[in-house]
Short mmCIF file of all heavy atoms in Angstrom, two decimals:
data_model
loop_
_atom_site.label_atom_id
_atom_site.label_comp_id
_atom_site.label_asym_id
_atom_site.label_seq_id
_atom_site.Cartn_x
_atom_site.Cartn_y
_atom_site.Cartn_z
N LYS H 471 19.63 12.50 -1.32
CA LYS H 471 20.48 11.33 -1.24
C LYS H 471 19.82 10.25 -0.36
O LYS H 471 19.80 9.06 -0.72
CB LYS H 471 21.84 11.72 -0.60
CG LYS H 471 22.89 10.69 -0.74
CD LYS H 471 24.21 11.23 -0.24
CE LYS H 471 25.16 10.05 -0.12
NZ LYS H 471 26.27 10.32 0.78
N ASP H 554 -1.69 -2.04 35.04
CA ASP H 554 -1.74 -1.46 33.71
C ASP H 554 -0.34 -1.62 33.08
O ASP H 554 0.62 -1.01 33.51
CB ASP H 554 -2.12 0.02 33.81
CG ASP H 554 -2.33 0.68 32.47
OD1 ASP H 554 -1.94 0.05 31.44
OD2 ASP H 554 -2.88 1.78 32.41
N TYR H 643 -23.85 -6.69 10.21
CA TYR H 643 -24.31 -5.28 10.22
C TYR H 643 -25.61 -5.13 9.47
O TYR H 643 -26.28 -4.09 9.59
CB TYR H 643 -23.24 -4.38 9.58
CG TYR H 643 -22.99 -4.64 8.12
CD1 TYR H 643 -23.66 -3.88 7.17
CD2 TYR H 643 -22.13 -5.62 7.66
CE1 TYR H 643 -23.47 -4.12 5.81
CE2 TYR H 643 -21.91 -5.86 6.33
CZ TYR H 643 -22.62 -5.11 5.39
OH TYR H 643 -22.42 -5.34 4.06
N SER H 789 -12.97 -9.55 3.96
CA SER H 789 -13.87 -9.78 2.83
C SER H 789 -13.36 -10.89 1.91
O SER H 789 -13.88 -11.06 0.83
CB SER H 789 -14.07 -8.48 2.04
OG SER H 789 -12.82 -7.95 1.65
N ASN H 792 -15.71 -13.55 0.28
CA ASN H 792 -16.89 -13.09 -0.42
C ASN H 792 -16.75 -13.43 -1.91
O ASN H 792 -15.82 -12.99 -2.59
CB ASN H 792 -17.00 -11.56 -0.23
CG ASN H 792 -18.32 -11.03 -0.77
OD1 ASN H 792 -18.62 -11.15 -1.94
ND2 ASN H 792 -19.07 -10.43 0.13
N THR H 836 1.35 -16.92 -5.21
CA THR H 836 0.57 -15.93 -5.96
C THR H 836 1.22 -15.72 -7.31
O THR H 836 2.29 -16.32 -7.60
CB THR H 836 0.41 -14.63 -5.14
OG1 THR H 836 -0.60 -13.81 -5.81
CG2 THR H 836 1.70 -13.86 -5.06
N THR H 841 6.43 -4.90 -13.56
CA THR H 841 6.06 -3.52 -13.89
C THR H 841 7.24 -2.58 -13.65
O THR H 841 8.07 -2.81 -12.75
CB THR H 841 4.86 -3.05 -13.02
OG1 THR H 841 4.65 -1.66 -13.23
CG2 THR H 841 5.05 -3.32 -11.56
#
Side-chain angles (χ1 to χ4, degrees):
Chain H
K471 194 174 168 202
D554 186 347
Y643 67 94
S789 55
N792 190 300
T836 192
T841 172

